[in-house]
Amino acid sequence: MKRHNKSKNSGEPLNYWQSTADMMSALLLILLLVIMLLLLYIIQIPEEDYIDLYPGSSSSQAASYEDGGWGGDEEGGYEEPDDDDGGGWGGGGGGDQGDGEDDYEFPVAGGGAGLASGYGKTAVYVMVTDAETDATIKEAGIQFELYTTDGAMQFLNTYYPRRIEYRKYETTTEGVFYLPEKILQGHYYFHELTEPEGYDSAGNIEFWANEDRDWDEPLVVVVPLMPSKNVIRIQMTDADTNQPVDGGVYDVIAAEDIITKDGTLRYSAGQTVDRIECNENGYGESIELYLGEYTLVQTSAPRYYASDLEERNFTVEKKEDGLLAPIHKITCEKTTVTVQVSDELYPSEGLGDITFRLTQGGVGTTMVSTDENGQLILTDLEKNTTYRLRQLESADNYRFSDADFVFSVSADGRVEEEAQKSYVITNRLIRAEISVVDRVLRSHVSNFNVALYDSQDQLVGVWDSTALARSLEGLEPGIYYLVLNGKTEKRQAIEIQDIAEIQIINVPVWTTVGVGILGLVAALVLGLAAFLIRRRQRRGPSDLPPPSVELIAAVSRAGAAQAAAETAPEASGSEPQPDATPDAEPETPSAEPESAPESASAEATAAPVPESADKPEDEPAQPESQLVTASVQAETAAAGTETALEAPPAEPDTAPEDGSSEPATEPAAEPAPAEPAPEAEPAQMEPVPEAAPVQTETASETAAAGPAAAPESTPAARTETRRPRGGSHAKPRRSWWKRDSK
């Protein structure tokens, strides 16, 4: 049920929904208005918007301030509409910046342009150029401030899309810029805050804005900047004394292409741009040079000094406020020749007070001497000059060369490519040490009077020998004579050579001790020789030399005679006697060749041999051949004792038991001293009937073949027969090794 209320005045009913409908309509209109504003803002927003990070300062740029700067209509230059032709927003206030609302109040800086009428306004265009070439320095970021001549800083603004205030103005990459807005006519100046690399600060650049100018024909203000320059300063000093040296000249050469920021090539690499000449204080400096790398090359060296061959590199840097360029020290070496005069044998010993004559170029002559250390230092030497140095005298007894010592100084003040050259000149002192020594012991002998004479028989010196050698110095080379104890007839000649080394001369003499020692040694040698000879004489016949040809022939004839004698009893029917061979075993065939010569030698000895007293009664008489063999061996041993000492031992060569032709070689045994062999008695030996014919045949063949076919003694058949003590009938003794074998 709808309820209606009536008004008190009209009596009409009240509509409680009307106010709500009006409110909703208002909200809808407001919403539509907001949408329209948003659309309008979106359509009109610029491509870039630089936000003022520091309100009230000049560090931010305007929204339309791009590479083109504040230019004409096309490049974003903005001019506030001005209905009265003289108003508009002037340059900057000095107070704080507002919040951008309509109630912002702009303060007016002193002398600046504010909200006024009846005053002309000027658009300003700024160019930064090189002061020498007038070319634009294309570098961004060169900052300036704008002041009036009474010192008031000018703040300029942009207002779209919002108000931005500027206190600093900087160049674009083209090296130019526009002021953000026109300024009132007046007297202004730009104060440079930063300068490009390689240029000095421009300071304050004044200009007049005295006429109306629009953006298409702005007032052009040129800011000329001078390229930075500096000098190269050098100081030449002596390398040894550190004192200033005058007269040096250096060329300054560009080490690289020197190009300034305006693009101008100032110097080419390798170009000589200046020359520095050092004054009497050794100081010199170049002209003002553009910044860059340079090289200094010396073209003329100071007098008496060597040229500086080093290329010195320098960097020219920008001047600092109130400071001069640094001074570069250059040390130079003085041309110096040092001559060291010393002993040839001992180079470390200098010879002082030695006089020389110095000739300069064959004209000037100067006398110079060495100091106490033997050094001669030559300075103040002219270039392109040859010098000759000749020694005139030396220390006592020293020998020196009288030839000229020559050296030359080149055009660059060097001697053999060195600024300071050293030479060594040696003087020779002849030294000799004379000693009297024992001829045997070679030791020093004292108490001998020694006199030394030269080749002219002039006495040089006399002294008594001691346990030490006598040292002599300063002798002239040649022949000298030594006389010991005044015995001039036995003088000895010696030679002194021209050498630096010490000459050792030993004079040998006989002394009692030396003679005694020599006699003792001789006695020992003779005793040893006698002992060895006696020992050799006691050795057996195995050590005797081989028998001669005559002896072998005699033994062969004796064997033939014995064979004929034994054949006669067989023909008469008598029983043959056994041929006992005491030195050979019956079962040893190798003893037969040795028995044959012994049996055959019986005919060569005709003298009877007396029987030995110690012979047993039952011992049968020895065969005649054995007696002859013993006699021959005794004579041979007596005649060839010394020859047997050097004769080589005979090689063993015995026939084998089976009768083959190949000899059986056995190692030779060292013969031992012969001793009596009782087991070799004839009573114990069995008769060998065929022994005599075999021995006779062997001996005959041996005699026919000559010495080369003579049978050699072998260890198996070797026997030792010593000279009988009691007579020629003494029993022979058997070797020790045969006794051991039994």
Side-chain angles (χ1 to χ4, degrees):
M1 180 176 179
K2 186 174 181 181
R3 183 176 179 182
H4 298 278
N5 293 326
K6 294 183 179 181
S7 176
K8 295 180 179 180
N9 299 327
S10 60
E12 296 181 356
L14 295 174
N15 188 357
Y16 294 97
W17 299 101
Q18 186 64 39
S19 60
T20 303
D22 295 339
M23 185 177 61
M24 294 299 294
S25 299
L27 291 176
L28 182 58
L29 292 174
I30 293 172
L31 180 60
L32 292 175
L33 180 60
V34 171
I35 293 173
M36 291 177 65
L37 291 175
L38 289 175
L39 292 175
L40 181 62
Y41 179 78
I42 292 173
I43 294 173
Q44 296 295 329
I45 191 169
E47 294 182 2
E48 288 189 42
D49 185 16
Y50 294 92
I51 301 173
D52 189 1
L53 300 178
Y54 305 96
S57 69
S58 60
S59 62
S60 61
Q61 299 179 354
S64 60
Y65 184 57
E66 300 177 1
D67 291 346
W70 293 98
D73 297 338
E74 295 181 356
E75 298 206 0
Y78 177 77
E79 181 180 0
E80 186 73 21
D82 189 16
D83 295 334
D84 56 1
D85 295 332
W89 300 107
D96 296 334
Q97 184 173 351
D99 55 2
E101 297 295 332
D102 294 338
D103 57 351
Y104 177 78
E105 182 177 357
F106 297 95
V108 178
L115 186 61
S117 61
Y119 290 93
K121 303 180 76 173
T122 303
V124 178
Y125 178 74
V126 181
M127 297 176 59
V128 180
T129 62
D130 187 289
E132 294 181 350
T133 63
D134 294 331
T136 303
I137 302 174
K138 297 182 179 181
E139 183 170 345
I142 305 174
Q143 296 182 350
F144 297 89
E145 291 178 339
L146 180 62
Y147 290 87
T148 58
T149 53
D150 57 1
M153 180 185 290
Q154 302 299 301
F155 300 90
L156 302 181
N157 305 277
T158 56
Y159 302 97
Y160 184 80
R162 66 180 182 275
R163 177 183 175 277
I164 300 177
E165 182 182 86
Y166 298 93
R167 299 182 181 183
K168 298 178 182 179
Y169 317 99
E170 61 183 39
T171 59
T172 65
T173 56
E174 296 297 325
V176 298
F177 68 91
Y178 283 93
L179 289 179
E181 62 176 312
K182 295 179 180 180
I183 59 175
L184 296 176
Q185 296 180 8
H187 194 190
Y188 300 87
Y189 68 87
F190 282 108
H191 174 70
E192 186 183 22
L193 298 177
T194 60
E195 63 274 357
E197 182 181 0
Y199 285 86
D200 295 331
S201 176
N204 298 328
I205 306 299
E206 297 184 3
F207 67 96
W208 280 92
N210 52 10
E211 59 181 337
D212 293 338
R213 286 184 178 271
D214 206 348
W215 296 111
D216 54 351
E217 294 182 358
L219 174 64
V220 179
V221 178
V222 177
V223 180
L225 299 181
M226 285 296 298
S228 296
K229 297 179 183 180
N230 210 339
V231 298
I232 296 177
R233 307 168 68 198
I234 60 174
Q235 175 69 53
M236 296 189 66
T237 58
D238 188 284
D240 297 327
T241 64
N242 203 30
Q243 296 297 317
V245 178
D246 64 332
V249 179
Y250 285 87
D251 281 349
V252 182
I253 302 173
E256 60 183 1
D257 289 341
I258 308 299
I259 303 175
T260 52
K261 287 293 184 178
D262 63 338
T264 303
L265 176 63
R266 304 295 179 168
Y267 305 129
S268 299
Q271 177 183 349
T272 301
V273 299
D274 190 26
R275 172 166 292 182
I276 301 176
E277 296 183 2
C278 298
N279 56 19
E280 63 277 4
N281 297 321
Y283 174 80
E285 69 176 33
S286 68
I287 61 173
E288 294 278 344
L289 301 173
Y290 296 100
L291 306 186
E293 299 292 333
Y294 296 88
T295 301
L296 263 64
V297 177
Q298 189 179 61
T299 57
S300 177
R303 187 182 182 186
Y304 305 140
Y305 282 85
S307 298
D308 184 8
L309 302 180
E310 180 182 358
E311 293 185 354
R312 304 177 182 275
N313 297 320
F314 296 91
T315 301
V316 176
E317 298 178 344
K318 190 175 182 178
K319 295 179 181 179
E320 297 182 6
D321 294 338
L323 299 178
L324 298 176
I327 297 177
H328 302 278
K329 275 193 173 185
I330 298 177
T331 58
C332 48
E333 293 179 318
K334 197 169 189 177
T335 304
T336 305
V337 173
T338 302
V339 179
Q340 176 68 47
V341 183
S342 60
D343 189 291
E344 183 177 359
L345 183 61
Y346 305 106
S348 60
E349 294 184 3
L351 304 180
D353 199 21
I354 306 298
T355 304
F356 289 86
R357 182 177 64 215
L358 179 65
T359 303
Q360 177 181 345
V363 181
T365 300
T366 306
M367 297 296 176
V368 292
S369 300
T370 60
D371 59 12
E372 59 182 5
N373 297 321
Q375 280 192 348
L376 174 62
I377 301 176
L378 303 177
T379 57
D380 296 344
L381 302 175
E382 297 289 347
K383 298 178 177 64
N384 294 321
T385 306
T386 299
Y387 291 86
R388 297 179 180 274
L389 191 66
R390 174 175 292 186
Q391 185 174 351
L392 301 180
E393 62 180 5
S394 182
D396 295 339
N397 300 323
Y398 275 90
R399 299 170 60 84
F400 59 89
S401 174
D402 56 356
D404 288 343
F405 180 78
V406 182
F407 63 92
S408 298
V409 182
S410 62
D412 61 355
R414 282 173 166 75
V415 179
E416 297 183 10
E417 305 298 329
E418 296 183 17
Q420 297 182 350
K421 183 66 177 179
S422 297
Y423 295 99
V424 177
I425 297 178
T426 58
N427 288 187
R428 178 176 295 174
L429 179 64
I430 297 179
R431 299 176 173 88
E433 292 185 356
I434 301 177
S435 304
V436 179
V437 298
D438 189 285
R439 189 181 295 272
V440 178
L441 301 179
R442 312 304 296 177
S443 60
H444 291 270
V445 180
S446 303
N447 301 324
F448 269 80
N449 182 263
V450 184
L452 179 65
Y453 294 87
D454 60 11
S455 59
Q456 306 297 327
D457 289 336
Q458 298 294 325
L459 182 63
V460 177
V462 179
W463 69 91
D464 292 332
S465 64
T466 62
L468 300 177
R470 176 75 173 188
S471 297
L472 300 177
E473 295 181 349
L475 297 177
E476 293 292 331
I479 302 299
Y480 291 80
Y481 299 97
L482 288 172
V483 177
L484 301 180
N485 295 331
K487 299 178 180 180
T488 57
E489 69 278 2
K490 295 183 178 180
R491 67 179 186 174
Q492 302 183 30
I494 61 174
E495 182 181 3
I496 300 299
Q497 300 178 2
D498 188 6
I499 57 177
E501 291 76 12
I502 299 177
Q503 305 177 51
I504 307 298
I505 300 174
N506 294 325
V507 182
V509 296
W510 289 107
T511 62
T512 304
V513 177
V515 173
I517 292 177
L518 188 61
L520 180 60
V521 172
L524 291 176
V525 171
L526 292 176
L528 180 60
F531 173 75
L532 294 176
I533 293 173
R534 186 175 181 81
R535 184 176 180 183
R536 290 288 183 180
Q537 290 177 351
R538 291 179 181 179
R539 290 189 176 183
S542 60
D543 294 334
L544 295 177
S548 61
V549 178
E550 293 78 2
L551 182 61
I552 294 175
V555 172
S556 300
R557 290 192 297 270
Q562 182 180 1
E566 292 178 353
T567 307
E570 291 181 359
S572 61
S574 60
E575 185 179 356
Q577 298 294 331
D579 187 7
T581 305
D583 294 339
E585 296 287 341
E587 60 274 10
T588 306
S590 60
E592 295 178 3
E594 187 178 359
S595 299
E598 293 179 358
S599 300
S601 63
E603 296 294 337
T605 306
V609 180
E611 296 181 358
S612 177
D614 55 353
K615 179 179 180 182
E617 295 179 358
D618 55 350
E619 182 179 359
Q622 294 183 355
E624 186 178 0
S625 61
Q626 293 182 2
L627 297 178
V628 173
T629 303
S631 177
V632 172
Q633 291 178 352
E635 292 176 1
T636 306
T641 301
E642 295 181 359
T643 308
L645 295 176
E646 300 178 358
E651 296 183 359
D653 187 10
T654 56
E657 297 181 0
D658 55 358
S660 61
S661 62
E662 296 181 0
T665 303
E666 295 184 5
E670 182 181 358
E675 297 181 1
E679 60 273 18
E681 296 178 0
Q684 299 177 0
M685 299 178 60
E686 297 181 0
V688 183
E690 301 298 331
V694 173
Q695 294 175 1
T696 302
E697 183 180 358
T698 304
S700 302
E701 294 176 357
T702 303
E712 298 181 357
S713 175
T714 61
R718 179 178 296 176
T719 60
E720 296 184 359
T721 304
R722 302 185 62 180
R723 182 178 296 178
R725 299 178 181 175
S728 60
H729 294 283
K731 292 194 302 181
R733 297 180 182 179
R734 186 172 299 173
S735 300
W736 59 272
W737 57 272
K738 289 187 176 182
R739 293 199 302 271
D740 293 342
S741 63
K742 289 195 172 196

